[in-house]
Amino acid sequence: MLIFNTQNELVSHLTSISNEATSIGFVPTMGALHEGHLSLLKEALLHNPVVVISIFVNPTQFNNADDLAKYPRTLEADVAKIKTVSDTIVVYAPSVDDIYEGKTVSEHFDFDGLEHQMEGQFRPGHFDGVGTIVKRLFEIVKPTNAYFGEKDFQQLQIVKKMVAKLKLPVKVIGCPIFREPNGLAMSSRNERLTTEERAEAAIIFKTLSEAKIRFHVQSAEEVTEFVTEIFQKTTPFELEYFTIADEETLLPCTTKNNTKKYRAFIAVFVNNVRLIDTISLN
Ligand code: AMP
């Protein structure tokens, strides 16, 4: 399997094996790979003769230095997992310098307000960091199709918005959330939970599923009260936010409109580990 640490090596390899007509599928990740990431790779392999995965813990999207320092970095194990999917996948695992060339700062983006909701409120600067790295990686890899998980639904909408606004020549494809058997959304951060916390974290998806049922007959406000009460009773889980929002605009739902699609979004701390999840409500 080919692993490149510099953009120059990656680009010259891609140029040697593809031409303008070759479809390149791309899966950007921060590593510590799990079945969720692998499901994106499998989807990419179905539709593209060339598939590239990037593994890069992007410093500019972390607003919390401790979270960045503790983010798991497991390149060797990641490569072994990628091989189980296919050894034709091209890995790009750059250094911070290879990407940022000495200037580790974000560009500023206007995502028409999508960036101010939910994760944007609680993680200042996060989406400027996401926009910066995704744009940079798109410039390097020049993918035809790029695959993102619906687990980070706000990020998916923001990347779609960036591609539309900057007219980037790439199709952004959203893929379903891969879950552990108890319903917990797979996440690299799950590795930082104890065995008990990981089992108890099933409460997150269980509550989202209950919220979905209630939303058929209750208002967004009533459902939000129900979820807030659940987490008040459930230590060590601490609710950061629960929001029911319009899938397109990500604006909070005040009164239900039958023509709109809604989604519930949640962020929860388990001790110091921050977990997010989302569910479609229609
Ligand atoms: P990350 O490494 O956490 O930045 O994630 C890289 C990509 O994998 C993003 O597009 C995520 O949305 C996606 N992803 C992460 N967890 C899951 C999951 N449980 N199911 C599907 N996709 C996921």
Side-chain angles (χ1 to χ4, degrees):
M1 207 168 66
L2 290 168
I3 304 167
F4 298 103
N5 300 119
T6 67
Q7 51 178 288
N8 287 345
E9 290 167 302
L10 174 75
V11 170
S12 63
H13 172 69
L14 291 178
T15 313
S16 74
I17 60 161
S18 58
N19 59 39
E20 304 244 305
T22 312
S23 169
I24 298 179
F26 179 43
V27 178
T29 80
M30 297 205 298
L33 301 184
H34 50 65
E35 285 292 329
H37 297 114
L38 302 187
S39 72
L40 303 188
L41 284 176
K42 287 172 191 165
E43 185 61 24
L45 280 167
L46 285 178
H47 303 285
N48 308 274
V50 176
V51 171
V52 179
I53 180 171
S54 62
I55 296 180
F56 178 64
V57 181
N58 173 38
T60 63
Q61 73 188 67
F62 284 81
N63 56 311
N64 177 327
D66 189 49
D67 193 24
L68 171 61
K70 290 199 174 133
Y71 203 86
R73 290 157 171 90
T74 57
L75 185 59
E76 221 172 289
D78 290 346
V79 169
K81 286 179 191 165
I82 297 165
K83 268 189 196 156
T84 67
V85 178
S86 164
D87 60 9
T88 65
I89 295 168
V90 177
V91 180
Y92 176 43
S95 64
V96 171
D97 261 0
D98 189 57
I99 293 286
Y100 285 100
E101 297 165 353
K103 272 197 261 162
T104 314
V105 288
S106 293
E107 229 180 282
H108 179 65
F109 292 89
D110 174 0
F111 297 118
D112 293 347
L114 295 179
E115 71 276 31
H116 301 313
Q117 308 303 320
M118 300 173 294
E119 292 297 285
Q121 280 178 21
F122 290 93
R123 303 186 68 188
H126 172 66
F127 287 119
D128 277 340
V130 168
T132 302
I133 186 62
V134 173
K135 181 166 163 253
R136 189 80 201 93
L137 288 169
F138 282 177
E139 282 162 3
I140 296 167
V141 178
K142 298 191 176 55
T144 319
N145 299 304
Y147 298 82
F148 289 82
E150 288 183 351
K151 158 133 185 309
D152 301 281
F153 193 85
Q154 188 173 10
Q155 168 176 280
L156 169 66
Q157 296 298 63
I158 277 179
V159 172
K160 282 184 176 168
K161 176 69 76 177
M162 179 177 77
V163 163
K165 286 188 94 165
L166 302 180
K167 300 190 172 60
L168 304 179
V170 51
K171 186 171 171 205
V172 175
I173 295 150
C175 302
I177 302 176
F178 217 85
R179 299 182 178 279
E180 299 197 359
N182 71 359
L184 175 65
M186 288 199 177
S187 163
S188 307
R189 290 187 174 87
N190 294 354
E191 298 299 319
R192 292 175 49 203
L193 302 176
T194 64
T195 311
E196 294 77 41
E197 287 167 346
R198 203 157 166 157
E200 287 165 12
I203 184 87
I204 301 170
F205 183 57
K206 202 166 151 248
T207 308
L208 283 184
S209 305
E210 176 68 24
K212 178 173 177 141
I213 294 167
R214 284 176 182 249
F215 190 62
H216 291 306
V217 288
Q218 290 186 336
S219 67
E221 200 183 337
E222 284 166 327
V223 177
T224 306
E225 265 170 38
F226 159 76
V227 172
T228 308
E229 273 175 29
I230 294 266
F231 282 95
Q232 274 164 356
K233 291 186 284 200
T234 322
T235 49
F237 295 81
E238 208 177 300
L239 185 65
E240 186 172 59
Y241 66 76
F242 172 83
T243 308
I244 293 179
D246 178 323
E247 274 198 9
E248 284 303 309
T249 62
L250 301 182
L251 290 172
C253 165
T254 41
T255 40
K256 279 191 223 175
N257 177 332
N258 285 339
T259 63
K260 290 192 169 169
K261 280 189 164 182
Y262 294 104
R263 205 166 245 283
F265 297 85
I266 193 167
V268 172
F269 276 100
V270 189
N271 293 320
N272 278 326
V273 184
R274 187 173 184 277
L275 303 174
I276 61 168
D277 202 346
T278 173
I279 195 169
S280 159
L281 298 177
N282 298 76

